[in-house]
Amino acid sequence: MTARLLAWLPNPILQVLHGTGSALFLLVRSLRHLPSLPRQFGRFIEQCHLIGYTTMPIVGILSFFIGSVLALQSGHAGENVGYKQFIGALVGLTMARELGPVMAAVLLAGRVGSAIAAELASMKVYQEVDALETMNIPPERMLVLPRLAAVLTMMPVLTIMADLVGWFGGAIVAQYTHFISIEPASYFANLRQYMDFSDVLNGLIKAEIFGFTVVLVCCHIGLNTRGGPREIGASVTRAVVTSLILILVLDFFVTKALM
Amino acid sequence: MPAANSNSPLPGAAPAVGVKVEGLAKRFGTFEVLRGVSFTVQPGEIFVLMGPSGSGKSVLLKHLVGLERPSAGRTLVASHDGADPATRERVRMALVFQAGALFNSLSVYDNLALYPREHRLGDEAAIRDRVMRALQILSLENAVHKLPAELSGGMRKRVAIARALVMEPQLLLYDEPTSELDPVMSATITEIIATLRQRYQVTSIVVSHDRDLALSIADRVGILMGGQLVFLGPPADLRQPTDPRVADFLNPRIDLEHPRFKHLET
Ligand SMILES: Nc1ncnc2c1ncn2[C@@H]1O[C@H](COP(=O)(O)OP(=O)(O)O)[C@@H](O)[C@H]1O
Ligand SMILES: [Mg+2]
């Protein structure tokens, strides 16, 4: 009955349902090996390094400019209306609740997600995954679990960094732009007055959800690559595009749920 | 047949296992690759499976280690179903992949050490002994720290065999171990396969279209064509094959007047 009902659904919807189900199944199979995590400490650290440390510079540069442009735009728009003294709060809240986590996740998808998809797809295509299976080593234990643990550890770090750098970018622009010229002291006083730790926490929760989803999806797409070396590139593209779509779709629903 | 091997330098070696393939059929979509293949391999035997490219030899091997599920029929490894993932826990099977399937990001040493490490078969010192012994058997001591990308074709095949050997397998499957190698290296690999069987009594199934290999080390040979076995017997019977398809496969006559590819076109 349900099978017949499903068969009537248009193909893209079926594919989305199938992909979601199979990614969740991968998650369950990975979590089953959770007790093995302590002995995979080396792999966990290696992945933390790849996911966190190597992504930091680009997260820093991008959030600096995002914070700056936020201050610039709101200063420009607020000039006539007379709310430019609220720039601190505006930049602070927008970075913490929205752009910090989203930018960190988008850069994670582009920099780490693509690398994960490429590595696992190439392992699949060159039968390294098959070799693991014949050696009775579950690929999800070795390849997926340490990455999931690492992303949960590193996303808060990346997000807090994005928040801080964004705030400072905004402060610098607010001080040195002639039509804004707000002293950093009053910028940060305003920021502190209108936001508290729960706003940052809200952003961290979003970042964890996005980051976890990106890594899971990229692992899943990589491990499900079929065919020859050409498919590695196709998998990378699919992984990044799927991650970006998921980040923005999830962003709406998670934001709504957290309000 | 030899049972527990007392002279094995590898600790914990379990007795070799037999293999049974019963009416194995495999379709990919509508494309029938295997159409009812049956044979048995005795414990400790070297069984060589021959056949033209694309006849389904690799697919058959994958069924034995549970990487493919049969469309019909079954495979039994030591009387356990080959398609059941639990079989891999009961019987140690190793497959030497045609392209090696070495872990490209790991050194030769780490490629070999992965299995004992993941299965926690002793401390690093014990694992080191085990890995170095396998490398020694295949004269690979100099390649320990190399990455797979830095190895020649013959070395890759030997590393792949060494990695299988570290598992102390009861069943060792080789997928075209001598293809793409020069004649001397082919002979070397052939000798290695025979030596490993002799030393450890491991049941060996070798997929190959190397006639010399089949004639020199096989206990029995099967020839797969069109998804079915067209020959099954001792290698001696291959010298005067009765089946014209087998005769043509083993001793193809190069006839420039009536080239084969012209017939294929029609
Ligand atoms: N996963 C697969 N999906 C579809 N076709 C496959 C798959 N694996 C193998 N085949 C097809 O099965 C046939 C036999 O393949 P294979 O066993 O690799 O041949 P060989 O005897 O040369 O090892 C080939 O025609 C191949 O295209
Ligand atoms: Mg093959």
Side-chain angles (χ1 to χ4, degrees), chain A residues 226, chain B residues 26-29 31-34 50-62 68 98 175-176 207 209 224:
Chain A
R226 248 161 258 278
Chain B
K26 178 65 182 179
R27 275 188 312 273
F28 290 108
F31 177 50
E32 279 190 301
V33 179
L34 300 173
M50 304 177 82
S53 300
S55 56
K57 306 179 299 292
S58 299
V59 168
L60 196 150
L61 283 191
K62 285 185 183 170
E68 295 279 4
Q98 182 169 357
D175 198 351
E176 305 204 13
V207 160
H209 24 227
L224 195 60

Side-chain angles (χ1 to χ4, degrees), chain B residues 5 16-17 43-46 165 168-172 174 193 196-204:
Chain B
N5 26 15
V17 295
E45 200 176 24
I46 294 183
L165 205 57
E168 296 170 359
Q170 298 162 272
L171 172 62
L172 192 37
Y174 303 85
I193 295 170
L196 292 181
R197 191 278 297 267
Q198 199 181 15
R199 275 206 220 165
Y200 309 123
Q201 282 81 40
V202 56
T203 312
S204 310

